[in-house]
Amino acid sequence: MEHLQDEIPIILCKLEMIFPPGFFDSMEHLPIHLPYEAKVAGPVQFRWMYPFERFLGRLKKNVKNKAQVEGSICNAYLVAESSNFCSYYFEPQVYTRHRKVPRNDDGGDDDVIDKSNLMIFSYNGRYSGRAKIRWLDEKEHVAIHSYILLNCAEVRPYVELYKDHLRSLQPGANNATIESEVEKNFTRWFSEFCESNVIENKCVANLAHKPSGIAMSFDVYFVNGYRFHTTMHSLDRSSSNNGVYVFGDGVEYYGVIDEIIQVSYLGLPVQKTVLFKCKWFDPTPNAGIRVHDRYNIVEVNTKRNFKKYEPFILSLQGTQVYFTSYPSLKRDKVDWAVVCSVKARGVFDIPENKVATNNDAFQEEEAQLIEVEVSNEDDIPLNDVDNDPYFEIPGQSGEEGEEEEEEEATFETDTETELSADSDDDINLSDDDSD
């Protein structure tokens, strides 16, 4: 510290020979006093006034009446304290300064979802931006209606009923044939079945009719902790939020979102759901998709598209991914892109059948068990019975045991003799003193 205090004036004098006088102000002069100040006052963190100056600046902004400066500050401070205290008792869906809106807010709360409605119509989701109204063509209309029916959990019993009906008509038909017939004709059969039978669930009965031909189109939609964009909306942006992944029938499908559509089924109540119209890449192994043998990297061929017309998925089924290309000009690398998964904000993967505590980390590390072979010849007991003279086994018999017993008896006799002699001496000393 003394050396630093002596060197700073010399350094500043050398700097004055290089820089013009206008360069020097109070900040360049301040280092001269800093070593002495640190030596007298101690570390800076114990005497730093910057937080208090910031707080004073915040109090000055609360002044609304310059005639009553102190009253304005006290009033504003009490209002802020009371409002912050009461905010801890608000309902979970109310956002405050200490409980801010999530970045990818889906606009709903799990506690207020209508459980009586069908699952595909009762989930949290929120669109952003201006909505556009458009008409669905016949091909889209049929594809949307068929996909909603086949992916609704409440309609699954009727799908199985239709499969049993097909097996009775075609006893030798295999599963592939049955599934193909279900995709083609289930919507027509379900509509006829609802007309001739009484369906207790009115929401399921409303699905017998096709959705409205008027649909709402969006560019941005928040669901499942993700922010999804259409391909056109992501063109002029540095981030890519149009990639989507879905797993179905044992096949992994990767694609990009072309359009976000909201359809509604007429009835009471009006049921609305949002679907993603996607362009899917070819899921054929080693042709449209491949997995690296060593690193398990998934790659898709962006030049090969899925031939079958199944562009729609429910928004609640989508998982966000993004595709990154290789920094190479080789022909075998240009058409392929690597699939990178995206972590949903505010969603944590907790292992099943495990109760998380404050001390548990949300990550399971794999432990490797190493087996060490030890021969019987190298076994060393913790207590060496033969070589430890202080190790004694109760009930030990033999010459060694008898000798130890004799030594203990001799030690006890000598101890008693010494104690008796000491006691006699004490008596004699006391007698001499009394004389």
Side-chain angles (χ1 to χ4, degrees):
M1 187 67 71
E2 295 290 344
H3 180 71
L4 181 63
Q5 187 175 1
D6 297 337
E7 291 292 334
I8 285 180
I10 299 175
I11 295 174
L12 290 178
C13 292
K14 293 182 178 179
L15 292 176
E16 290 178 355
M17 299 171 62
I18 302 173
F19 295 98
F23 175 77
F24 298 93
D25 55 10
S26 60
M27 295 302 296
E28 279 70 29
H29 180 73
L30 181 63
I32 297 177
H33 305 282
L34 289 181
Y36 177 77
E37 184 179 349
K39 206 166 45 171
V40 173
V44 179
Q45 62 265 27
F46 299 117
R47 50 188 172 84
W48 195 30
M49 297 300 296
Y50 184 67
F52 302 96
E53 294 174 358
R54 289 285 301 269
F55 182 70
L56 291 175
R58 189 169 62 185
L59 293 179
K60 289 167 65 177
K61 295 179 181 179
N62 294 330
V63 177
K64 305 301 180 183
N65 185 2
K66 295 184 178 180
Q68 302 291 336
V69 176
E70 295 85 355
S72 299
I73 294 176
C74 293
N75 187 24
Y77 186 82
L78 291 176
V79 170
E81 286 291 320
S82 58
S83 59
N84 290 336
F85 176 77
C86 295
S87 65
Y88 289 104
Y89 297 92
F90 290 165
E91 295 182 358
Q93 64 269 18
V94 179
Y95 296 109
T96 62
R97 178 180 297 178
H98 301 287
R99 189 170 58 244
K100 297 182 179 180
V101 180
R103 177 162 185 160
N104 293 337
D105 181 28
D106 53 14
D109 185 13
D110 295 335
D111 297 332
V112 298
I113 291 179
D114 185 9
K115 303 296 182 181
S116 62
N117 204 347
L118 303 182
M119 183 191 66
I120 60 175
F121 301 115
S122 57
Y123 64 92
N124 294 327
R126 177 177 65 91
Y127 68 89
S128 179
R130 183 179 179 182
K132 303 175 184 176
I133 301 176
R134 77 175 188 89
W135 285 88
L136 300 174
D137 57 27
E138 184 62 25
K139 194 174 182 180
E140 291 176 338
H141 209 173
V142 173
I144 290 174
H145 183 49
S146 177
Y147 188 85
I148 289 177
L149 288 180
L150 295 178
N151 288 271
C152 181
E154 290 79 4
V155 185
R156 177 58 56 183
Y158 301 98
V159 176
E160 297 298 330
L161 184 62
Y162 182 59
K163 288 182 179 180
D164 296 337
H165 175 68
L166 292 176
R167 293 190 183 97
S168 63
L169 297 178
Q170 304 175 8
N174 55 12
N175 294 330
T177 305
I178 298 296
E179 293 293 339
S180 177
E181 290 291 332
V182 168
E183 293 179 1
K184 294 179 181 179
N185 302 318
F186 175 73
T187 56
R188 179 183 55 82
W189 177 88
F190 183 69
S191 178
E192 296 174 355
F193 181 83
C194 292
E195 291 178 357
S196 59
N197 296 274
V198 178
I199 307 298
E200 296 180 358
N201 193 336
K202 298 300 182 182
C203 297
V204 176
N206 292 337
L207 294 181
H209 307 283
K210 291 183 180 180
S212 176
I214 301 177
M216 306 287 289
S217 178
F218 314 112
D219 292 332
V220 181
Y221 193 72
F222 297 89
V223 67
N224 298 335
Y226 300 108
R227 176 191 178 100
F228 289 100
H229 291 175
T230 59
T231 303
M232 294 298 297
H233 189 76
S234 300
L235 287 179
D236 300 332
R237 299 179 179 272
S238 58
S239 59
S240 176
N241 296 326
N242 61 338
V244 66
Y245 157 80
V246 69
F247 181 80
D249 298 332
V251 181
E252 295 181 344
Y253 295 92
Y254 297 92
V256 291
I257 300 175
D258 286 340
E259 192 176 5
I260 302 173
I261 300 175
Q262 183 189 66
V263 297
S264 58
Y265 281 85
L266 301 180
L268 294 176
V270 178
Q271 298 167 326
K272 300 179 181 180
T273 186
V274 177
L275 299 98
F276 294 157
K277 184 179 180 181
C278 308
K279 182 182 73 174
W280 301 108
F281 300 119
D282 186 8
T284 305
N286 299 326
I289 183 174
R290 63 188 181 187
V291 182
H292 197 278
D293 297 335
R294 182 176 180 183
Y295 301 107
N296 293 327
I297 298 176
V298 181
E299 302 173 351
V300 294
N301 193 338
T302 57
K303 300 298 182 180
R304 294 176 61 94
N305 297 328
F306 188 41
K307 302 298 183 181
K308 193 175 181 180
Y309 184 77
E310 289 183 356
F312 297 101
I313 63 168
L314 295 171
S315 60
L316 58 91
Q317 297 175 337
T319 302
Q320 193 173 82
V321 296
Y322 70 92
F323 308 97
T324 178
S325 59
Y326 284 98
S328 175
L329 297 179
K330 294 182 179 180
R331 186 174 182 180
D332 59 340
K333 293 292 186 181
V334 171
D335 299 339
W336 292 86
V338 178
V339 179
C340 302
S341 60
V342 178
K343 179 70 175 178
R345 291 181 177 270
V347 179
F348 301 94
D349 296 331
I350 302 177
E352 297 180 357
N353 300 327
K354 182 179 179 181
V355 180
T357 60
N358 295 331
N359 297 327
D360 294 341
F362 293 99
Q363 180 179 5
E364 292 184 355
E365 299 180 353
E366 297 181 358
Q368 297 180 355
L369 299 178
I370 303 176
E371 297 181 359
V372 180
E373 297 181 358
V374 181
S375 60
N376 295 331
E377 298 178 357
D378 298 335
D379 291 343
I380 301 175
L382 296 177
N383 295 321
D384 192 353
V385 180
D386 298 331
N387 300 326
D388 191 357
Y390 299 101
F391 185 80
E392 179 182 357
I393 299 177
Q396 182 180 10
S397 61
E399 296 179 357
E400 295 179 358
E402 294 176 356
E403 292 177 358
E404 292 179 358
E405 292 178 358
E406 292 178 357
E407 291 177 358
E408 290 179 358
T410 305
F411 177 76
E412 292 176 357
T413 305
D414 296 339
T415 306
E416 292 176 356
T417 304
E418 293 177 359
L419 292 174
S420 61
D422 294 339
S423 61
D424 295 339
D425 295 339
D426 294 340
I427 297 172
N428 294 331
L429 289 173
S430 61
D431 292 339
D432 294 339
D433 296 336
S434 59
D435 293 339

